[in-house]
Amino acid sequence: MELFALLMKMKISPVALALVSLFAIGTSTLCAADSQLLERAKKEGTFLLYSSMNMPDVNQLFDGFRQRYPFVAPKSYSTRSAALLERVITEARAGKHFADVIQGNAFTLFLLGKRGHLEPYASPEARSFPDSYRDPAGTWVAAYLQLNVIGYNTKLIPRSDAPKGYEDLLAPKWKGKMGLDDKQYIWFDGLLKVMGREKGLAYTRRLANQAIHFRSGNTLLANLLAAGEFGLLINARPDSIDELKQKGAPVEWVAPRPTTANVLPIAIARNAQHPNAGRLFMDYMLSEEGQKRLSAMGRTVARPGIAAANPRLSQGLEIAVNDPGMAERFDQVVELYKQIFGVP
């Protein structure tokens, strides 16, 4: 503040003041990182990220990171979360440790943590996140969320008639008019958690009698909803619906209370070859700057106080985090889901 007061007395132009302001912000952010961590990261010069995000999104994050820390050249490998799990475990068995940072769904990171493939790291940014978005063992922190909402076709269903929550889906008028992915195991387990197991099982058995149209794949189902194949999508991703809506599709979504969410965390790999550069990237991804960049990419970020691309995603939602420990009960959950909904 003293610097700005002095510049004002010197009658520095507004443009110059703006440049000083940007410099001050950048310097304070850089200095916020531990100086020893910065020096060690400089010596390592790179890190390898294993991620379930698509490459364009990873590259956007890397662009922001390089602007902040130009002395680190990040690299990445991108695939599905399940494939990441298998790859890390296979490499570890062979005595190879390529990944420095791992980002995927909570179930993958839960299993990697249980098997000793993650390194605890107390990121200074982690304290800004709710406890439910952090691993109790201190290995991972949620970077963003996948929310489970109800989608509907606005040409087939007037907004005034759209369901408000899951109980509304049991109405006779929706029979034969709803779609659902035939592998929504995580969503299913989340419902049992928020409703209570017995009530949740009773509810899903009644829902299964609604002549649901089953298909495979969230993207396919969202497109079928937009095309009018059915009027309601029982479990939709709000970002997918918003993207279709921006392209002119007649779709909208409503958030049940509570809205269940899958968390997608980030963590440091055990035996990482570039752990300090990796920690610097983890800090960046969890920072306000990194979270704002993620939000601008259409992700529902986990850090409170960051505005979402769609204001509805950051206002008034009651979020219940799905249990990452489902990874250990996966086979039982799959069997129960298939039994109740009658899918192969």
Side-chain angles (χ1 to χ4, degrees):
M1 291 300 293
E2 293 178 0
L3 173 61
F4 286 104
L6 176 61
L7 290 171
M8 289 298 290
K9 288 180 181 180
M10 295 171 62
K11 299 182 179 180
I12 299 296
S13 72
V15 173
L17 280 173
L19 290 173
V20 171
S21 176
L22 287 172
F23 173 78
I25 291 170
T27 302
S28 63
T29 305
L30 190 63
C31 291
D34 179 85
S35 58
Q36 291 184 344
L37 176 62
L38 285 171
E39 287 304 314
R40 291 193 293 262
K42 283 181 182 179
K43 291 179 181 178
E44 292 172 354
T46 188
F47 67 87
L48 177 58
L49 167 69
Y50 277 17
S51 176
S52 63
M53 289 192 297
N54 59 58
M55 283 308 302
D57 284 359
V58 169
N59 288 334
Q60 285 195 56
L61 280 172
F62 281 178
D63 286 345
F65 178 79
R66 281 190 293 259
Q67 290 172 22
R68 181 64 59 197
Y69 304 109
F71 48 83
V72 177
K75 301 175 184 177
S76 67
Y77 169 78
S78 182
T79 188
R80 296 175 297 106
S81 284
L84 285 180
L85 174 67
E86 183 178 354
R87 186 181 181 97
V88 172
I89 292 173
T90 300
E91 289 175 351
R93 285 175 180 162
K96 300 175 181 179
H97 305 282
F98 298 123
D100 299 303
V101 188
I102 303 173
Q103 182 279 317
N105 68 35
F107 309 98
T108 291
L109 270 72
F110 175 88
L111 289 175
L112 289 176
K114 291 281 286 187
R115 299 185 184 191
H117 297 298
L118 301 181
E119 185 72 30
Y121 172 53
S123 169
E125 301 293 343
R127 65 176 68 96
S128 297
F129 291 71
D131 290 345
S132 59
Y133 295 171
R134 296 184 286 174
D135 174 27
T139 59
W140 54 258
V141 181
Y144 62 97
L145 315 174
Q146 286 180 338
L147 301 182
N148 299 298
V149 299
I150 300 170
Y152 67 96
N153 184 302
T154 56
K155 281 188 176 180
L156 300 177
I157 301 173
R159 294 175 190 271
S160 59
D161 199 30
K164 303 295 187 295
Y166 291 121
E167 289 294 336
D168 295 341
L169 302 182
L170 300 178
K173 64 182 177 181
W174 302 130
K175 189 166 186 176
K177 299 179 180 179
M178 298 185 289
L180 181 64
D181 192 300
D182 58 7
K183 298 178 178 62
Q184 283 292 354
Y185 313 129
I186 299 173
W187 164 81
F188 170 67
D189 191 67
L191 273 189
L192 300 189
K193 177 185 175 184
V194 298
M195 290 184 174
R197 186 171 180 83
E198 293 308 314
K199 183 179 177 181
L201 288 173
Y203 168 79
T204 51
R205 288 189 176 106
R206 292 177 64 193
L207 183 65
N209 291 324
Q210 288 287 69
I212 297 168
H213 299 270
F214 285 98
R215 300 287 190 278
S216 293
N218 289 321
T219 301
L220 171 64
L221 280 156
N223 286 326
L224 290 176
L225 176 71
E229 182 85 6
F230 37 77
L232 288 170
L233 181 52
I234 295 172
N235 185 36
R237 299 275 185 261
D239 49 340
S240 297
I241 299 297
D242 285 341
E243 183 177 351
L244 287 169
K245 186 178 175 181
Q246 289 172 5
K247 294 177 180 178
V251 291
E252 189 53 273
W253 57 269
V254 294
R257 296 184 68 87
T259 301
T260 60
N262 313 328
V263 299
L264 288 100
I266 183 170
I268 303 300
R270 179 69 56 87
N271 299 314
Q273 297 180 49
H274 312 96
N276 299 291
R279 292 179 185 120
L280 204 60
F281 178 73
M282 181 171 171
D283 291 347
Y284 173 79
M285 195 165 179
L286 300 175
S287 70
E288 285 191 31
E289 181 179 332
Q291 292 281 287
K292 286 178 179 177
R293 184 170 284 262
L294 271 171
S295 180
M297 291 154 49
R299 304 279 177 170
T300 303
V301 296
R303 183 171 180 136
I306 304 297
N310 184 339
R312 293 178 60 202
L313 292 171
S314 53
Q315 296 174 0
L317 293 186
E318 180 186 336
I319 295 176
V321 175
N322 291 331
D323 178 19
M326 192 207 87
E328 293 186 309
R329 301 179 283 103
F330 186 76
D331 291 342
Q332 297 95 308
V333 174
V334 170
E335 183 179 352
L336 187 56
Y337 183 88
K338 290 181 176 180
Q339 174 191 326
I340 287 177
F341 289 106
V343 292

